[in-house]
Amino acid sequence: MSSISTTSSAASTAAANSALQSAAQSIISGSTGNSSMDVSTLVTALVNAKTAGQTAALSAQQTSDNTTLSAYGALSSALSALQSGITNLANGTTLSTFSATASGTGLTATAGAGAVAGSYSVGVTQIASSQALSSAAFGATTQLGAGTLTVSLGGKSMDINVDSTNNTLSGIAAAINSSSSNPGVTATIVTGTDGAHLVLRAANTGASNVINVSTSNITSDTGLSSLGVTSTASTTGGQSSITSANSSSAWTQSGFAQDAEFTVGGIAASSSTNSVTSAISGVTMNLTAASAGTTQTLTIATDTTSQSTAINNFVSLYNTVVTTMSTLTSFSSGSSSQGPLLGDSTLQTIKNTLASIVGSSVGSGSTGTTLASIGITLKDDPADGTMVVDNTALSTALTANPATVASLFNSTNGIAEQLNSSITTFTQTGGIIDTRNTALNADLKSITTQQTALADYTAQLTSQYQAQFTALNTLMATMNNNSQYLTALFGGTNSAGALATNKS
């Protein structure tokens, strides 16, 4: 129990004793006839005197348990933050990160899992684009007839029923855009000096994503049949071509369906999109129009900046855990307060385990690697327990000795993985923190039960004392009245009495 709780308990006991003294004086006053007893105060004082100690003890233990639970909550939060922050160090992801840099414009890249450091010559002939078709000009409100338009893209199609409700260009465009079976074609109306044009665009790039429009079931034709168009994908890496159903109302291509064409190290390759993932293992290249016609050098290198940031973050989070534990176990000889987990064996176990991991080497014998070998050491004050980073030494290790860093943070028994495994053991259901929390919650439940029982006992005792002292007060009042009557008759110390004056 903390010193604060002890002080509170002592204060409660002192207050109860003071009230009891006042109650005793009330009895004396009542028995001497100076006044009647203060039954309410007397009962309260006696009940408090009987229950104050237990009430204070239960309250103090309840406060202590809740404080300890909060302390474990703070410790668990710090441990969880550390575990989350070192996930990618523990599984090896961070030390497998690479940067990708192009020497020119229009080409960017990202390197992920499976990437290998190296330089690649990338020549871009053309980028991938999507097809856009423009119909011949019509009047904006011209009714084109009735029938069925079948619009297809990349092997998928939709049928548009055209009738008197939607047989203008804008009606057809709206029907295309709202169709639930739309394969990926958007329709707009562009109006020029010659009239309105229906413009169809493919949502996806690539040579195979060509748009075809066919007509059928035409019952009246005032231009509907001229909306037919056949697109042909290039098989040689070139652009798509089209053939209109009606040469006098010909469609035109304002955008071509084509693949991106490029070389990597002299090896020809293509992609239906400008986000190229299949050319270089683990690398995604992103092409824009500015890259067409250029040859650039793409350099894949270890991303030491990200790795340094991740390692510094690990040290910072570890230091937060150490600082949290230090606060929870603080003690000052000149102060009455102390950390809620001072002397706690569970926290000490966690502290020793973490310190052992960061202070040990990974590997055996002369091949073992420590954090100190990459510039991470404990502060000069051994009691502090936090670590400091020499970023110059860390940068040198990441650049000149990446194998050393990789060994230290390997995903099998590296520093981060050992910490991750230990934290899981501490915080999981059934772990040492959960076991302590379970015991504390069970104690709080027991305290609540005892407080309920004590409240019932207090109510019962109050009722009992109230009845007893009310009866006593009535009895003493009667006795005092009788005494005063007899004194009036027979006299007392300072009175002769009524009967004395009637003697013959």
Side-chain angles (χ1 to χ4, degrees):
M1 185 182 297
S2 68
S3 58
I4 294 177
S5 298
T6 301
T7 301
S8 176
S9 179
S12 297
T13 302
N17 289 336
S18 176
L20 194 58
Q21 290 175 4
S22 297
Q25 185 60 49
S26 175
I27 295 176
I28 294 171
S29 296
S31 65
T32 57
N34 293 326
S35 66
S36 61
M37 284 193 301
D38 184 349
V39 174
S40 178
T41 300
L42 176 60
V43 169
T44 299
L46 290 174
V47 171
N48 283 346
K50 203 169 185 69
T51 62
Q54 189 175 356
T55 298
L58 289 174
S59 179
Q61 187 59 44
Q62 188 176 52
T63 298
S64 177
D65 285 352
N66 282 321
T67 300
T68 304
L69 279 173
S70 295
Y72 275 121
L75 177 59
S76 294
S77 293
L79 289 171
S80 295
L82 172 60
Q83 185 174 40
S84 177
I86 63 175
T87 296
N88 288 337
L89 271 177
N91 62 25
T93 300
T94 296
L95 298 182
S96 299
T97 57
F98 294 86
S99 61
T101 308
S103 60
T105 59
L107 169 63
T108 59
T110 56
V116 178
S119 295
Y120 306 86
S121 175
V122 179
V124 182
T125 304
Q126 66 183 31
I127 66 169
S129 61
S130 58
Q131 189 180 35
L133 302 179
S134 298
S135 74
F138 294 89
T141 59
T142 299
Q143 295 185 340
L144 303 179
T148 302
L149 286 181
T150 300
V151 181
S152 63
L153 175 71
K156 296 181 180 180
S157 64
M158 62 179 166
D159 289 331
I160 303 299
N161 183 43
V162 181
D163 55 30
S164 59
T165 64
N166 65 351
N167 63 1
T168 61
L169 284 187
S170 60
I172 292 172
I176 290 173
N177 292 331
S178 63
S179 173
S180 60
S181 57
N182 190 310
V185 176
T186 58
T188 56
I189 304 299
V190 176
T191 302
T193 56
D194 57 345
H197 299 259
L198 176 65
V199 178
L200 303 180
R201 299 179 185 277
N204 299 321
T205 60
S208 63
N209 288 313
V210 292
I211 301 170
N212 288 283
V213 181
S214 63
T215 61
S216 60
N217 304 321
I218 296 178
T219 58
S220 62
D221 187 9
T222 53
L224 186 61
S225 63
S226 66
L227 293 181
V229 61
T230 300
S231 299
T232 303
S234 172
T235 58
T236 59
Q239 300 171 333
S240 56
S241 59
I242 62 172
T243 302
S244 300
N246 188 332
S247 58
S248 63
S249 300
W251 288 77
T252 59
Q253 284 195 98
S254 54
F256 299 93
Q258 64 183 30
D259 289 338
E261 300 286 339
F262 54 92
T263 60
V264 177
I267 300 173
S270 64
S271 171
S272 62
T273 71
N274 290 313
S275 180
V276 183
T277 59
S278 59
I280 304 173
S281 178
V283 177
T284 298
M285 296 191 300
N286 299 294
L287 309 178
T288 65
S291 67
T294 68
T295 299
Q296 305 179 34
T297 300
L298 180 62
T299 302
I300 309 299
T302 302
D303 188 357
T304 57
T305 299
S306 295
Q307 293 171 1
S308 177
T309 299
I311 292 173
N312 271 277
N313 185 52
F314 147 63
V315 172
S316 176
L317 290 170
Y318 177 83
N319 287 345
T320 297
V321 172
V322 172
T323 302
T324 299
M325 291 191 292
S326 178
T327 300
L328 295 176
T329 57
S330 63
F331 174 76
S332 175
S333 58
S335 172
S336 60
S337 64
Q338 63 186 39
L341 297 183
L342 179 64
D344 186 88
S345 60
T346 298
L347 181 142
Q348 198 60 44
T349 297
I350 294 172
K351 182 178 181 179
N352 291 342
T353 301
L354 300 185
S356 175
I357 291 173
V358 300
S360 63
S361 63
V362 177
S364 58
S366 59
T367 61
T369 304
T370 64
L371 286 172
S373 66
I374 64 171
I376 302 175
T377 57
L378 292 173
K379 282 189 176 179
D380 293 336
D381 180 6
D384 184 277
T386 59
M387 299 186 293
V388 292
V389 182
D390 181 341
N391 280 300
T392 300
L394 176 59
S395 178
T396 299
L398 288 170
T399 304
N401 299 299
T404 297
V405 182
S407 172
L408 187 61
F409 290 102
N410 77 82
S411 58
T412 302
N413 66 336
I415 294 290
E417 175 51 31
Q418 289 185 55
L419 289 172
N420 177 60
S421 178
S422 293
I423 292 172
T424 296
T425 300
F426 298 147
T427 58
Q428 67 186 357
T429 301
I432 57 176
I433 292 179
D434 180 63
T435 298
R436 285 288 287 121
N437 285 341
T438 299
L440 288 166
N441 282 317
D443 192 48
L444 285 171
K445 184 177 181 180
S446 173
I447 289 172
T448 299
T449 300
Q450 293 178 66
Q451 287 174 327
T452 300
L454 184 60
D456 292 341
Y457 173 68
T458 299
Q460 178 186 352
L461 196 61
T462 298
S463 178
Q464 177 185 333
Y465 283 170
Q466 187 75 37
Q468 290 175 342
F469 284 102
T470 296
L472 177 60
N473 192 37
T474 301
L475 177 61
M476 287 194 297
T478 300
M479 291 175 64
N480 283 331
N481 288 336
N482 290 339
S483 175
Q484 292 171 5
Y485 174 72
L486 292 173
T487 298
L489 286 176
F490 300 108
T493 302
N494 299 316
S495 171
L499 293 180
T501 58
N502 291 329
K503 292 177 180 180
S504 56

